Amino acid sequence: RAGQVGLASGAVAGAVTGALGPLLLPAAGTFLGSIIVSAELGGLGGAIGQITSNLLTPCTPWYDGVPETVAVSIVIGGVLGGAGYGIRQRLTSRPIGWTGRAGEKFLQRLGGRSQRYFRTSQGGRYIDQLINRVAHESKVGYTSLTASVRLQIAKDVELITIGEIDAAVWHFFTSPATGKGGPSGTLAEALRQAGISIVRHY
Protein backbone atom coordinates (compact mmCIF):
# COMPACT_ATOMS: atom_id res chain seq x y z
CA ARG A 1 0.00 0.00 0.00
CA ALA A 2 2.73 2.47 0.98
CA GLY A 3 4.75 1.61 -2.13
CA GLN A 4 1.73 2.11 -4.36
CA VAL A 5 1.19 5.61 -2.98
CA GLY A 6 4.81 6.55 -3.68
CA LEU A 7 4.77 5.17 -7.22
CA ALA A 8 1.48 6.94 -7.97
CA SER A 9 2.98 10.24 -6.80
CA GLY A 10 6.03 9.73 -9.01
CA ALA A 11 3.93 8.82 -12.03
CA VAL A 12 1.73 11.89 -11.62
CA ALA A 13 4.77 14.16 -11.30
CA GLY A 14 6.32 12.69 -14.46
CA ALA A 15 3.14 12.87 -16.49
CA VAL A 16 2.42 16.48 -15.50
CA THR A 17 5.97 17.54 -16.38
CA GLY A 18 5.79 15.79 -19.75
CA ALA A 19 2.54 17.52 -20.68
CA LEU A 20 3.29 20.95 -19.25
CA GLY A 21 7.09 20.87 -19.23
CA PRO A 22 7.85 24.22 -20.94
CA LEU A 23 5.36 25.96 -18.68
CA LEU A 24 6.98 24.49 -15.58
CA LEU A 25 10.68 24.55 -16.43
CA PRO A 26 12.45 25.81 -19.59
CA ALA A 27 14.76 22.75 -19.46
CA ALA A 28 11.74 20.54 -20.23
CA GLY A 29 11.18 22.23 -23.59
CA THR A 30 13.06 19.49 -25.49
CA PHE A 31 12.47 15.74 -25.70
CA LEU A 32 15.60 14.84 -23.71
CA GLY A 33 15.03 17.71 -21.29
CA SER A 34 11.46 16.59 -20.70
CA ILE A 35 12.62 13.06 -19.90
CA ILE A 36 15.34 14.25 -17.51
CA VAL A 37 13.19 16.79 -15.68
CA SER A 38 10.24 14.39 -15.52
CA ALA A 39 12.47 11.63 -14.14
CA GLU A 40 13.82 13.96 -11.47
CA LEU A 41 10.38 15.21 -10.47
CA GLY A 42 9.06 11.67 -10.67
CA GLY A 43 11.70 10.51 -8.21
CA LEU A 44 10.97 13.47 -5.96
CA GLY A 45 7.25 12.80 -6.11
CA GLY A 46 7.83 9.14 -5.35
CA ALA A 47 10.02 9.98 -2.35
CA ILE A 48 7.52 12.44 -0.95
CA GLY A 49 4.63 10.04 -1.47
CA GLN A 50 6.52 7.11 0.10
CA ILE A 51 7.74 9.07 3.12
CA THR A 52 4.28 10.57 3.69
CA SER A 53 2.71 7.14 3.50
CA ASN A 54 5.30 5.73 5.92
CA LEU A 55 4.68 8.49 8.44
CA LEU A 56 0.98 7.76 8.34
CA THR A 57 1.50 4.00 8.77
CA PRO A 58 1.96 2.89 12.38
CA CYS A 59 5.23 1.13 13.27
CA THR A 60 6.76 1.92 9.86
CA PRO A 61 10.16 3.69 9.62
CA TRP A 62 9.98 6.88 7.54
CA TYR A 63 12.69 5.60 5.17
CA ASP A 64 11.12 2.19 4.58
CA GLY A 65 11.01 1.42 0.82
CA VAL A 66 12.08 4.96 -0.16
CA PRO A 67 15.13 3.99 -2.31
CA GLU A 68 13.17 1.37 -4.22
CA THR A 69 10.20 3.68 -4.77
CA VAL A 70 12.45 6.53 -5.91
CA ALA A 71 14.23 4.29 -8.42
CA VAL A 72 11.02 3.01 -9.96
CA SER A 73 9.43 6.48 -9.90
CA ILE A 74 12.39 7.92 -11.81
CA VAL A 75 11.85 5.37 -14.57
CA ILE A 76 8.09 5.90 -14.66
CA GLY A 77 8.48 9.69 -14.59
CA GLY A 78 10.98 9.65 -17.43
CA VAL A 79 8.85 7.39 -19.61
CA LEU A 80 5.70 9.42 -19.02
CA GLY A 81 7.63 12.66 -19.51
CA GLY A 82 8.86 11.53 -22.92
CA ALA A 83 5.40 10.33 -23.89
CA GLY A 84 3.84 13.59 -22.72
CA TYR A 85 6.33 15.60 -24.74
CA GLY A 86 5.52 13.59 -27.87
CA ILE A 87 1.79 14.03 -27.42
CA ARG A 88 2.21 17.76 -26.80
CA GLN A 89 4.29 18.16 -29.97
CA ARG A 90 1.74 16.21 -32.00
CA LEU A 91 -1.09 18.42 -30.82
CA THR A 92 0.66 21.77 -31.20
CA SER A 93 2.96 21.35 -34.19
CA ARG A 94 2.06 22.19 -37.75
CA PRO A 95 3.90 21.31 -40.96
CA ILE A 96 6.10 23.99 -42.50
CA GLY A 97 4.13 26.16 -44.91
CA TRP A 98 0.68 25.08 -43.70
CA THR A 99 -0.52 28.70 -43.46
CA GLY A 100 0.60 29.50 -47.01
CA ARG A 101 -1.22 26.50 -48.43
CA ALA A 102 -4.47 27.74 -46.89
CA GLY A 103 -4.58 30.61 -49.38
CA GLU A 104 -3.57 28.42 -52.31
CA LYS A 105 -6.36 25.95 -51.53
CA PHE A 106 -8.87 28.80 -51.56
CA LEU A 107 -7.71 29.88 -55.02
CA GLN A 108 -7.92 26.30 -56.29
CA ARG A 109 -11.65 26.40 -55.68
CA LEU A 110 -11.89 29.17 -58.28
CA GLY A 111 -10.82 26.77 -61.02
CA GLY A 112 -8.02 27.06 -63.55
CA ARG A 113 -4.55 25.55 -63.22
CA SER A 114 -2.43 25.46 -60.06
CA GLN A 115 1.29 26.28 -59.91
CA ARG A 116 1.56 27.21 -63.59
CA TYR A 117 5.20 27.77 -64.50
CA PHE A 118 6.43 30.57 -66.77
CA ARG A 119 9.92 31.56 -67.85
CA THR A 120 10.93 35.21 -67.64
CA SER A 121 14.16 37.08 -68.24
CA GLN A 122 14.41 37.41 -64.45
CA GLY A 123 13.97 33.71 -63.70
CA GLY A 124 11.11 31.26 -63.42
CA ARG A 125 7.73 32.29 -62.06
CA TYR A 126 5.21 29.90 -60.54
CA ILE A 127 1.65 31.28 -60.64
CA ASP A 128 -0.41 29.97 -57.72
CA GLN A 129 -3.56 29.79 -59.84
CA LEU A 130 -3.95 30.69 -63.52
CA ILE A 131 -7.59 31.33 -64.42
CA ASN A 132 -8.54 32.44 -67.93
CA ARG A 133 -5.07 33.94 -68.53
CA VAL A 134 -5.23 35.87 -65.25
CA ALA A 135 -2.52 35.09 -62.70
CA HIS A 136 -3.75 34.82 -59.11
CA GLU A 137 -1.14 35.03 -56.33
CA SER A 138 -1.85 34.02 -52.71
CA LYS A 139 -0.25 35.78 -49.75
CA VAL A 140 -1.12 34.63 -46.23
CA GLY A 141 -0.25 36.88 -43.29
CA TYR A 142 1.09 40.41 -43.21
CA THR A 143 3.31 40.82 -46.29
CA SER A 144 6.01 43.44 -46.83
CA LEU A 145 7.80 44.61 -49.96
CA THR A 146 10.84 42.39 -49.58
CA ALA A 147 13.35 41.74 -52.34
CA SER A 148 11.72 38.43 -53.26
CA VAL A 149 8.25 39.99 -53.34
CA ARG A 150 9.54 42.87 -55.48
CA LEU A 151 10.97 40.31 -57.92
CA GLN A 152 7.61 38.51 -58.11
CA ILE A 153 5.95 41.80 -59.04
CA ALA A 154 8.55 42.45 -61.74
CA LYS A 155 8.03 38.98 -63.22
CA ASP A 156 4.25 39.44 -63.30
CA VAL A 157 4.67 42.78 -65.06
CA GLU A 158 6.97 41.15 -67.62
CA LEU A 159 4.52 38.32 -68.25
CA ILE A 160 1.74 40.84 -68.87
CA THR A 161 3.97 42.96 -71.13
CA ILE A 162 5.01 40.04 -73.35
CA GLY A 163 1.46 38.75 -73.53
CA GLU A 164 1.85 35.50 -71.59
CA ILE A 165 -0.94 36.55 -69.22
CA ASP A 166 -3.60 39.24 -69.44
CA ALA A 167 -3.52 40.43 -65.83
CA ALA A 168 -2.43 39.62 -62.29
CA VAL A 169 -4.41 39.63 -59.06
CA TRP A 170 -2.83 39.27 -55.64
CA HIS A 171 -4.99 37.84 -52.85
CA PHE A 172 -4.20 38.56 -49.21
CA PHE A 173 -5.47 36.30 -46.43
CA THR A 174 -5.33 36.55 -42.66
CA SER A 175 -2.83 34.10 -41.21
CA PRO A 176 -4.48 31.51 -38.92
CA ALA A 177 -1.20 31.42 -36.98
CA THR A 178 -0.65 35.15 -36.37
CA GLY A 179 -4.08 36.63 -36.94
CA LYS A 180 -2.54 39.24 -39.25
CA GLY A 181 -2.91 39.78 -42.97
CA GLY A 182 -2.70 42.19 -45.86
CA PRO A 183 0.03 44.08 -47.70
CA SER A 184 2.20 46.74 -46.14
CA GLY A 185 1.68 50.28 -47.37
CA THR A 186 4.74 50.16 -49.62
CA LEU A 187 3.71 46.81 -51.09
CA ALA A 188 0.18 48.01 -51.81
CA GLU A 189 1.61 51.06 -53.57
CA ALA A 190 4.06 48.95 -55.58
CA LEU A 191 1.24 46.67 -56.73
CA ARG A 192 -0.90 49.66 -57.69
CA GLN A 193 1.90 51.18 -59.75
CA ALA A 194 2.47 47.83 -61.45
CA GLY A 195 -1.20 47.59 -62.40
CA ILE A 196 -1.75 44.50 -60.24
CA SER A 197 -5.12 44.19 -58.53
CA ILE A 198 -5.43 43.55 -54.79
CA VAL A 199 -8.14 41.42 -53.16
CA ARG A 200 -8.30 41.31 -49.37
CA HIS A 201 -9.90 38.23 -47.77
CA TYR A 202 -10.33 39.39 -44.16
Side-chain angles (χ1 to χ4, degrees):
R1 179 65 178 178
Q4 291 177 351
V5 173
L7 291 177
S9 299
V12 170
V16 170
T17 306
L20 305 176
L23 300 178
L24 299 173
L25 292 171
T30 65
F31 177 68
L32 181 59
S34 184
I35 292 177
I36 293 174
V37 173
S38 296
E40 292 175 345
L41 291 183
L44 178 61
I48 293 175
Q50 183 66 58
I51 292 172
T52 301
S53 179
N54 289 341
L55 293 176
L56 296 176
T57 303
C59 303
T60 301
W62 68 269
Y63 54 82
D64 187 48
V66 172
E68 295 85 353
T69 300
V70 169
V72 176
S73 296
I74 287 175
V75 174
I76 294 176
V79 171
L80 293 179
Y85 176 87
I87 293 173
R88 185 179 68 247
Q89 291 298 105
R90 184 68 178 271
L91 293 176
T92 59
S93 63
R94 294 281 187 171
I96 296 174
W98 73 279
T99 54
R101 287 197 293 271
E104 294 174 9
K105 289 182 178 180
F106 177 89
L107 295 182
Q108 288 173 3
R109 294 199 292 268
L110 302 179
R113 297 179 58 185
S114 302
Q115 296 301 311
R116 179 70 161 81
Y117 178 78
F118 289 93
R119 291 182 179 180
T120 76
S121 63
Q122 304 170 81
R125 174 72 166 115
Y126 281 95
I127 302 299
D128 286 337
Q129 200 72 15
L130 184 66
I131 307 172
N132 297 326
R133 291 180 53 82
V134 175
H136 293 263
E137 173 72 15
S138 166
K139 296 295 183 187
V140 178
Y142 182 76
T143 309
S144 302
L145 186 60
T146 62
S148 60
V149 170
R150 192 186 298 274
L151 181 59
Q152 286 181 320
I153 294 175
K155 290 178 180 179
D156 285 357
V157 171
E158 179 178 332
L159 290 174
I160 294 173
T161 301
I162 65 178
E164 289 285 353
I165 60 177
D166 293 335
V169 180
W170 283 33
H171 299 256
F172 293 88
F173 301 85
T174 297
S175 168
T178 66
K180 299 180 180 180
S184 65
T186 53
L187 174 54
E189 178 61 22
L191 291 171
R192 187 190 67 78
Q193 292 182 2
I196 297 175
S197 301
I198 295 176
V199 178
R200 304 171 188 263
H201 298 268
Y202 53 91

